[in-house]
Amino acid sequence: MTQFKTGIDRRAVLGGLGALATGAGGAFAAAPALPSAPVAISIIDVGGALALMQQAFDDYRTANPKRASRITYVKAPAPELASKIKAQQDAGRSDLDLVLTGSDGLAAGLEQNLWLKIFPDFAEVFPGIEENYEPAALNLHKAQGAGFGVVVNYYPSGPLLEYMPDRVKQVPTTAEELLAWAKANPNKFMYARPTNSGPGRTFMMGLPYLLGDKDPQDPVGGWDKTWAYLQELGQYIEYYPAGTGATMKEFGDGSRDIIISTTGWDINPRALGIVPKEAKIQTLKGFHWVSDAFFMCVPKGLPNDRLAVVLDIMKHVLQPKMQAYSYDEGYLYPGPAVKNVPLSLAPQRSQEVIAEFGRPEYADLIANNPIELPLKPDRMVVAFRKWDELVGSKQRKG
């Protein structure tokens, strides 16, 4: 996810350390001991999680100066993550200690075998984690994280239509009506390339439910209706931006009248003034949420002193008080992945933003519509490739 947040937007194993960090002989690894001297930690964010959670990481550094001498932050686009990590591992380096990513970067790293397995190998560091997760976050943790990605923030996501009521007089309520509207209003509908957009991939993965496709979890054999629909819809889309931010800006300046959104992408850009407060949302007939999350992943090959601190940091940010930061300005609404994190625990600014820009209908939509898992990481990679081949490569210019 691109973020708007102001002031924030070889199986490499090093000698004997690797036996501890990856588990020797197939046995679970013992969690390494915390270091006797503080270490510097580097965190890379490719999805926007720092917009929600940087304060929680900073709080760790403040509270634990004998463990972390400093924490530095790096940002990069999600499509660049896997190649960046692999290049470092192939060179025998471990420059990045913790990765914050959406399901896109998680999937790309799993495909290239870049991540250290955290569960069950280091489960002792995270007592009661499964009991503490919100049910939908736990499902994502198990099915998507698969032991390699630890859910840090969660939201039901979308897909939602976001529209300007003064410019859209007859709001589409079905997928067929959306197609007809786009045909009648060429270049006024937009979504971003799924491989680097939460709303884009949520739309792609939500369509099989809306269209009654054969198998919503099989983008190769079960999405015939979805691929045909997206190809036809693409005839009326001017171009597919590389990230969600561009869709919000063009929606806000009046270039587009309907875009694909999610709960967080609905609330946050309105709170920041990028999208008019008056914008409305609409679901389509047959709507299923396709949930999404931010994950924490650890690249293979970390020396044990830094690995120990990274695991401790991960445990720290899953505490309810730290999770309350994730309400933020609605960026990943609601945001907390664990139980017992009411809005009242969040900073006052977060409470004010949600009160003003949140939508009362979200509680009902979340409670009364199915919440589906996204595609498994390997299938998500395939879906991204098929979209690029069948849809993105056919886009019109101008």
Side-chain angles (χ1 to χ4, degrees):
M1 299 178 186
T2 306
Q3 68 187 49
F4 280 115
K5 180 75 171 175
T6 305
I8 307 249
D9 219 354
R10 159 172 93 172
R11 184 180 283 257
V13 176
L14 306 180
L17 295 175
L20 288 175
T22 62
F28 294 163
L34 288 163
S36 57
V39 294
I41 298 296
S42 180
I43 298 175
I44 184 170
D45 174 24
V46 298
L50 283 178
L52 313 179
M53 298 299 291
Q54 182 167 336
Q55 187 61 55
F57 292 109
D58 288 344
D59 285 359
Y60 180 88
R61 163 67 183 84
T62 300
N64 297 280
K66 294 183 179 180
R67 297 178 185 178
S69 58
R70 68 178 184 275
I71 298 178
T72 57
Y73 304 103
V74 180
K75 297 176 186 176
E80 296 178 8
L81 174 65
S83 59
K84 184 183 294 285
I85 298 291
K86 189 172 190 309
Q88 292 184 6
Q89 292 182 351
D90 286 349
R93 304 199 325 269
S94 54
D95 299 340
L96 298 169
D97 302 298
L98 181 62
V99 175
L100 305 176
T101 179
S103 49
D104 44 6
L106 169 67
L110 284 172
E111 183 185 35
Q112 298 193 45
N113 198 27
L114 302 179
W115 309 134
L116 178 67
K117 191 164 189 181
I118 305 299
F119 287 96
D121 300 40
F122 301 112
E124 65 189 79
V125 178
F126 306 92
I129 187 170
E130 294 194 359
E131 293 80 5
N132 291 334
Y133 270 135
E134 289 284 354
L138 177 60
N139 288 339
L140 282 159
H141 175 71
K142 288 181 172 180
Q144 297 294 114
F148 296 89
V150 179
V151 171
V152 63
N153 303 120
Y154 151 79
Y155 78 141
S157 191
L160 306 170
L161 298 186
E162 190 165 0
Y163 68 96
M164 287 305 302
D166 61 334
R167 303 199 298 265
V168 181
K169 300 305 182 183
Q170 191 156 358
V171 183
T173 60
T174 68
E176 293 75 17
E177 288 178 5
L178 175 61
L179 181 60
W181 187 93
K183 183 176 182 179
N185 300 273
N187 299 339
K188 290 298 184 179
F189 171 73
M190 173 178 273
Y191 69 98
R193 183 185 179 214
T195 192
N196 196 40
S197 168
R201 66 175 175 266
T202 300
F203 181 52
M204 178 185 73
M205 292 186 289
L207 272 174
Y209 298 100
L210 297 171
L211 298 172
D213 233 329
K214 180 179 176 182
D215 183 353
Q217 290 293 319
D218 182 3
V220 176
W223 284 21
D224 290 352
K225 294 178 181 179
T226 295
W227 294 126
Y229 182 92
L230 287 172
Q231 287 176 304
E232 186 173 357
L233 184 65
Q235 299 176 56
Y236 316 114
I237 296 174
E238 186 172 4
Y239 78 107
Y240 301 100
T244 314
T247 71
M248 293 292 159
K249 290 174 182 174
E250 295 193 26
F251 179 58
D253 69 18
S255 301
R256 318 295 165 184
D257 294 343
I258 300 180
I259 59 172
I260 296 297
S261 194
T262 60
T263 55
W265 278 103
D266 163 42
I267 296 172
N268 183 251
R270 288 190 298 121
L272 296 177
I274 295 160
V275 168
K277 184 178 180 179
E278 299 73 32
K280 301 293 185 183
I281 56 127
Q282 175 69 45
T283 60
L284 299 177
K285 183 180 178 181
F287 171 69
H288 289 220
W289 296 101
V290 180
S291 57
D292 204 356
F294 284 135
F295 297 85
M296 298 181 285
C297 300
V298 180
K300 290 181 175 178
L302 294 192
N304 274 4
D305 54 354
R306 283 160 43 202
L307 175 60
V309 173
V310 165
L311 294 171
D312 200 45
I313 289 173
M314 293 166 71
K315 175 183 176 181
H316 167 83
V317 300
L318 290 174
Q319 297 177 57
K321 185 177 180 181
M322 298 299 105
Q323 285 283 297
Y325 287 126
S326 65
Y327 281 105
D328 185 59
E329 294 180 350
Y331 177 58
L332 202 77
Y333 183 81
V338 305
K339 299 172 184 174
N340 302 316
V341 189
L343 180 60
S344 59
L345 197 60
Q348 185 62 33
R349 172 60 180 161
S350 296
Q351 298 183 44
E352 293 169 355
V353 166
I354 300 306
E356 183 174 359
F357 295 96
R359 298 188 189 275
E361 60 263 43
Y362 277 146
D364 180 71
L365 285 170
I366 293 170
N368 295 308
N369 289 281
I371 301 177
E372 308 291 350
L373 287 168
L375 293 173
K376 290 185 179 295
D378 57 339
R379 293 188 175 191
M380 188 176 294
V381 170
V382 171
F384 289 156
R385 289 174 179 162
K386 284 188 69 70
W387 186 92
D388 284 347
E389 174 190 349
L390 298 176
V391 183
S393 65
K394 308 294 193 285
Q395 72 180 32
R396 297 183 298 111
K397 300 288 186 181

